[in-house]
Amino acid sequence: MKMEERRRFIAIDQGNTLIKLTLFEGDDPRESWRFPGESMEEIFSVVERWRPDCGAFCSVGRLDSRMVESLRLALDGRLLILSRSTKLPIGIAYSTPATLGLDRVALASGASMLYPGECVAVADAGTAVTLDIVDSAGVFRGGRITAGLRLRFESLHAHTSALPLEDADGPLPMAGDSTATAIRSGVVRGLADEITETFRQYKEHFGCSRLVLTGGDSEILTDCIKSRIPAGHVPDLMARGLLYIYKHNEI
């Protein structure tokens, strides 16, 4: 059965802390869900309710073989497990491909699908933040990895004697007028500045035309960035990449 004949596709992204599910009808996202990593019952309730025809699975860590096999059975075998041997719709120019995170591959594939013929920078703002490049020829060129917001907040608290543990929720002044807002401004605006400057360097050296932000902390960072550079928020970029890879393999 060709992909065009199937109405429903489910993308399953197992991250460091959450599993994200996105249901597509054709090429259009219909619904999305986020669950803790151990919530197999909730995941299979979604599959049972919506009965997707096919799907793709990506994990940043160790695969849960029991979950994968159950998903494969639920989809009558039409489940692509993204691996280092999967045929890709993009090229990979990375000196250590065996260490390249599969999530970065899927995100680059999604960016290449959405913006064909453009050199795009992709910022995935989760536990870690990756700042990658997919060039105008659809080749992954590599990027940078740095600590995400939660790690930065926790590090300030853990490695100082007096600073409290804060988070990204709350006022975000340009200059904090309390310890809490100074920490929040330093962490959130500091990371936004880092991403902005990285994009400017990528634009100069590689010709990147736009920045795409995705991941759990991407919305707040996009708000801090979008007035300065051509940046957009695409929360389902990973899922789109998995759909693109699935189509390329035609399971």
Side-chain angles (χ1 to χ4, degrees), residues 86-105:
T86 301
K87 183 171 65 173
L88 299 174
I90 61 171
I92 301 293
Y94 203 67
S95 64
T96 58
T99 68
L100 176 58
L102 296 173
D103 54 333
R104 298 170 71 189
V105 171

Side-chain angles (χ1 to χ4, degrees), residues 9 32 43 58 64-65 74 81 89 99 105 108 111 113 123 131 142 162 165 181 192 209 238:
F9 170 89
S32 62
I43 293 165
C58 175
D64 184 329
S65 58
I81 309 300
T99 68
V105 171
M113 178 188 72
L131 295 157
L165 178 61
T181 55
S209 58
M238 169 75 79

Side-chain angles (χ1 to χ4, degrees), residues 9-189:
F9 170 89
I10 192 161
I12 305 157
D13 166 25
Q14 184 175 23
N16 288 303
T17 56
L18 296 173
I19 289 186
K20 284 83 74 178
L21 283 70
T22 304
L23 183 79
F24 289 82
E25 291 195 349
D27 290 338
D28 301 318
R30 168 74 182 268
E31 300 280 349
S32 62
W33 302 265
R34 296 161 67 90
F35 300 117
E38 67 277 5
S39 302
M40 287 186 62
E41 184 176 338
E42 289 90 340
I43 293 165
F44 283 99
S45 70
V46 169
V47 173
E48 182 176 348
R49 177 186 175 190
W50 291 95
R51 298 192 178 280
D53 299 292
C54 52
F57 183 95
C58 175
S59 175
V60 299
R62 184 180 62 84
L63 286 176
D64 184 329
S65 58
R66 185 166 61 102
M67 178 191 297
V68 169
E69 188 55 35
S70 297
L71 285 167
R72 196 192 305 275
L73 289 171
L75 296 176
D76 294 328
R78 296 188 294 271
L79 178 69
L80 182 146
I81 309 300
L82 185 59
S83 71
R84 306 200 187 281
S85 61
T86 301
K87 183 171 65 173
L88 299 174
I90 61 171
I92 301 293
Y94 203 67
S95 64
T96 58
T99 68
L100 176 58
L102 296 173
D103 54 333
R104 298 170 71 189
V105 171
L107 290 168
S109 298
S112 183
M113 178 188 72
L114 284 175
Y115 307 106
E118 289 190 46
C119 182
V120 180
V122 180
D124 181 23
T127 303
V129 175
T130 56
L131 295 157
D132 291 327
I133 304 159
V134 56
D135 69 18
S136 58
V139 176
F140 178 88
R141 307 291 298 182
R144 302 178 184 179
I145 303 175
T146 188
L149 292 181
R150 182 171 62 84
L151 289 178
R152 295 179 186 223
F153 282 119
E154 290 176 351
S155 180
L156 277 176
H157 174 62
H159 297 287
T160 61
S161 59
L163 292 180
L165 178 61
E166 297 295 336
D167 58 36
D169 295 327
L172 192 62
M174 185 60 64
D177 59 1
S178 67
T179 299
T181 55
I183 292 172
R184 188 175 301 116
S185 178
V187 170
V188 177
R189 292 191 180 276

